[in-house]
Amino acid sequence: MMAAPTYALPYDRRVHKRGADLLNDPVLNKGTAFTEAEREAYGLQGLLPPRVTTQQEQLDRFLPGVRARPTLLDRYAYLVSLADRNVTLFYRLVIDNLEEMMPVLYTPTVGQACEQFGHIFRRSRGLFITADHRGRVREVLANWPHADVRMIVVTDGARILGLGDLGANGMGIPIGKLTLYTACAGVSPHQCLPVTIDVGTDNVALRESPTYMGLPRPRLQGEAYDALMTEFIEAVQERFPLACLQFEDFGNHNAFHLLETWRDRICTFNDDIQGTASVTLAGLLSAARITGVPLEQMRLLFLGAGEAGIGIGDLVVESLVAGGLSEAEARQRCWFVDSRGLVVRSRTDLAEHKRRFAHEHAPVSSLLEAVEELRPHAIIGVSGTPNTFTPDVLQAMARHHARPIVLALSNPTSKAECTAEQAYAATGGRAVFASGSPFDPVTLDGRTFVPGQGNNAYIFPGVGLGVIVAESARVTEEMFAVAARTLAAMVSEEDLAMGRIYPSLSRIREVSRVIAVAVAEVAYTRGLARRPRPDDLAQAVLDAMYEPEYHSLV
Ligand code: NAD
């Protein structure tokens, strides 16, 4: 029998497989696109229908099947089954139809996918590190089959989107985020590692469900939890020293604590805090072009003082300070309303991360009252509580400003503080509106408004790619500020004329590429790069981007 030839693929992998093994390898499989010569060389004759098709013909055959699925969750499962069979075709389909596929592969569908994890689970993906692995996390990490991991997204499932504690079912989130790294910024799939740290779940219904596949016990807390996380992070440094570690959907306390502990020691960031901050800052910078009020003069009022809100506040402050304001002046621009009212000095119930934004002011109990008192230029909804930007609140905003900025960022759509239609209707079409989940364009009195989507996917894939290209040792606040300015600069006058403060999602690969160059530039300027500077950084970024093309195996 002829030995299977081996080839260096664009990545560090050789083809030793033949026949059914080759067809069952989702990275190497091309399905009906295997050529006659490949079918001969690899023992595929008879294992495939005879007609050889192009990748485009495969797409033309598969895409109608995706669209025919009745629900977004069905489409998600259908696409995952494609990824399980043929990674290249999966990414071709996703990249060529990115705007359509993003809501299928990430918010809002990914939340449902996590909730239904036990039902739609077919083939395991990613790495599960559990409380029972304490003391041998290195060994478990060594089981991952790819050596050159550069991007890790990790969750402990404590607070999945706005859905709460989903334990090990949270795995859908790192998988989804990494899919976006590849689709939006061309980070190679084999360089991506989704990780779920299963420390149990405090969701009793889930724990008791027969379809739950995680550890059915209460969450590990305190020192034991910290020890497991430290062991994991140190093991990552050993096995994948060039990897960037992105924290995702951790509970409030752990998210802030892990970020503070590790941000100056390893290459890490938290997207809920920093990615959200960057995309929102970009939105505010674009909105300033519509309202004529520059960021330095804006008063911002946040509804919700959690990871997203405080993250945005911190980055706005950093950005204003870089622009010449004192820190005290910059903080004075950011006001917060949490579930107990305005965050003011006299309150004794404030968590550490809120205290830095507690200002001298009499107590105020409602958002409406706060809007009337503070007359903010922008209200930013990051509360996870729907219908909180009531008509009263929106009308008050419109009374105080010609072009009030209304960002209803809570996800999924059902949690948005208000809908696009409500925002435009209550302000006579004057609101500069963007949301976290997509809303359709709204027509009001014959005018059509296109709401922007403050999607973190504008930011994190590009930041990650820039970090990878420079092999940066850290991910800094400056990088997120630069990413925000870069994104805002890509918003065209036409976008603004439609009321859209973000570029079209169809441009996201271009956006990610440009952000990656800017972020890598910061890494080089700040001496954080661990790789010599290429002569042409823009070209180096372009060269690093994965393209889902079939490579000849003969
Ligand atoms: P979090 O749990 O850390 O914070 C939520 C905060 O809102 C808490 O401080 C809570 O006390 C407060 N809150 C809840 N109900 C409230 C109410 N009725 N009035 C005032 N405050 C209230 O969550 P997070 O990570 O900050 O995320 C918050 C929301 O932002 C989520 O819905 C999430 O989907 C959304 N988000 C959107 C984007 C984006 O659009 N790009 C990014 C990240 C998070």
Side-chain angles (χ1 to χ4, degrees), residues 107 159 161-163 177 248-252 256 271-273 275-277 279-280 302-310 312 337-341 353-354 367 381-386 388 408-412 415-417 435-437 453-457 502:
T107 50
R159 202 198 45 123
L161 304 170
L163 302 168
K177 277 258 147 124
E248 190 71 35
D249 287 358
F250 281 72
N252 240 281
F256 284 111
D271 187 58
D272 304 309
I273 300 174
T276 306
V279 79
T280 309
F302 295 82
L303 185 72
E307 292 171 40
I310 298 295
I312 301 165
V337 169
D338 68 9
S339 45
R340 301 210 174 111
H353 58 269
K354 297 184 191 178
L367 176 65
V382 276
S383 63
T385 310
T388 35
L409 297 181
S410 288
N411 296 315
K415 305 267 181 182
E417 283 76 8
S435 52
S437 299
Q453 190 193 350
N455 194 324
N456 291 29
Y502 294 99

Side-chain angles (χ1 to χ4, degrees), residues 261-311:
T261 308
W262 295 100
R263 67 193 302 166
D264 294 328
R265 294 163 67 184
I266 63 167
C267 182
T268 190
F269 72 97
N270 180 308
D271 187 58
D272 304 309
I273 300 174
Q274 296 164 288
T276 306
S278 185
V279 79
T280 309
L281 175 59
L284 292 170
L285 293 170
S286 304
R289 286 163 61 191
I290 297 178
T291 64
V293 180
L295 183 68
E296 304 82 78
Q297 289 169 22
M298 280 186 204
R299 219 168 15 261
L300 310 177
L301 179 59
F302 295 82
L303 185 72
E307 292 171 40
I310 298 295

Side-chain angles (χ1 to χ4, degrees), residues 47 52 87 98 140 142-143 184 250 287 344 358 360 372 460 507 517:
L47 298 182
V52 175
V87 169
L98 201 47
V140 177
N143 288 340
C184 302
F250 281 72
V344 292
E360 281 306 341
E372 296 289 13
F460 68 80
R507 291 178 65 199
V517 176

Side-chain angles (χ1 to χ4, degrees), residues 76 110 114 117 124-129 153 155 157 160 166-176 194-197:
Y76 175 91
V110 72
C114 289
F117 190 76
S124 191
R125 304 167 79 192
L127 205 57
F128 291 90
I129 291 175
V153 178
T155 187
I160 296 300
L166 295 186
N169 289 6
M171 183 54 116
I173 295 293
I175 290 172
V195 177
T196 290
I197 308 281

Side-chain angles (χ1 to χ4, degrees), residues 198-251:
D198 182 357
V199 292
T201 174
D202 291 341
N203 181 335
V204 178
L206 192 63
R207 223 156 60 197
E208 291 175 354
S209 159
T211 62
Y212 182 57
M213 286 183 286
L215 293 181
R217 61 176 89 145
R219 278 186 175 272
L220 207 62
Q221 309 276 4
E223 274 177 34
Y225 175 92
D226 290 343
L228 180 67
M229 287 309 300
T230 302
E231 186 184 341
F232 164 68
I233 291 164
E234 288 175 354
V236 165
Q237 302 313 301
E238 272 177 36
R239 169 110 210 262
F240 306 118
L242 294 177
C244 175
L245 185 58
Q246 178 190 319
F247 288 95
E248 190 71 35
D249 287 358
F250 281 72

Side-chain angles (χ1 to χ4, degrees), residues 400-416:
H400 299 313
H401 298 285
R403 302 299 308 268
I405 301 170
V406 176
L407 307 183
L409 297 181
S410 288
N411 296 315
T413 319
S414 61
K415 305 267 181 182

